[in-house]
Amino acid sequence: MTDPALPYRPCAGVMLMNRDGQVFVGQRMDSTIEAWQMPQGGIDPGETAHAAAVRELGEETGVPADLVELVAEAPEELQYDLPDELIGKVWKGKWRGQRQRWYLFRFLGNDDDVNIATEHPEFRAWRWVDPRELPELIVPFKRKLYTDLLSVFAEALAAEAR
């Protein structure tokens, strides 16, 4: 059972949307199942959530900061708990899950600007998907968070699709 004494890892996440209203997903390199997710990662001490989101986007997708434009920011953090079988096995056992600040960015570049073969690759493949597909692509323990994200960004996604 999740240890309530363990804290949540502070993170930032990015929903990166292309000109066609599709969003970026990467297939995790460290998973044996077909697990896809959007770019996300830890916030370093002294770093803002926005800066962490831009940094993580670059580290995981190769997309530089000058090729994205902020569309929306989630008004509050979203969180998820790790399943019991992962507690103590990931993140050196220090966290019970993640609390994440999410950003919706418009991608200003072209597919050639995406390069997942970064210094420390996290994805083995990537693609653009309709945002409504996200909950079915993510690992089950993050599904509610992704469903909540679609609600949080629904207005902005609809406006971008016009």
Side-chain angles (χ1 to χ4, degrees), residues 62-117:
V63 172
D66 63 342
L67 290 182
V68 297
E69 180 177 85
L70 181 64
V71 174
E73 176 181 348
E76 52 193 41
E77 291 179 329
L78 300 170
Q79 67 187 38
Y80 70 86
D81 289 326
L82 287 171
D84 291 342
E85 65 270 14
L86 293 180
I87 298 283
K89 294 182 180 151
V90 297
W91 308 312
K92 300 176 185 167
K94 296 186 339 188
W95 315 104
R96 67 190 281 187
Q98 295 189 354
R99 55 182 176 84
Q100 302 176 322
R101 175 66 70 174
W102 281 88
Y103 299 86
L104 173 61
F105 287 118
R106 181 182 301 112
F107 180 50
L108 305 174
N110 300 304
D111 285 2
D112 292 348
D113 296 311
V114 177
N115 178 13
I116 59 170

Side-chain angles (χ1 to χ4, degrees), residues 14-90:
V14 173
M15 183 181 284
L16 183 65
M17 182 178 43
N18 69 13
R19 290 175 182 88
D20 297 323
Q22 297 174 308
V23 297
F24 175 98
V25 291
Q27 188 178 31
R28 291 196 54 88
M29 195 171 278
D30 62 358
S31 179
T32 56
I33 61 171
E34 191 173 326
W36 296 81
Q37 72 176 42
M38 293 183 286
Q40 54 106 80
I43 299 172
D44 293 335
E47 185 177 40
T48 67
H50 182 269
V54 172
R55 176 183 51 75
E56 287 290 338
L57 182 65
E59 288 176 2
E60 295 182 10
T61 69
V63 172
D66 63 342
L67 290 182
V68 297
E69 180 177 85
L70 181 64
V71 174
E73 176 181 348
E76 52 193 41
E77 291 179 329
L78 300 170
Q79 67 187 38
Y80 70 86
D81 289 326
L82 287 171
D84 291 342
E85 65 270 14
L86 293 180
I87 298 283
K89 294 182 180 151
V90 297

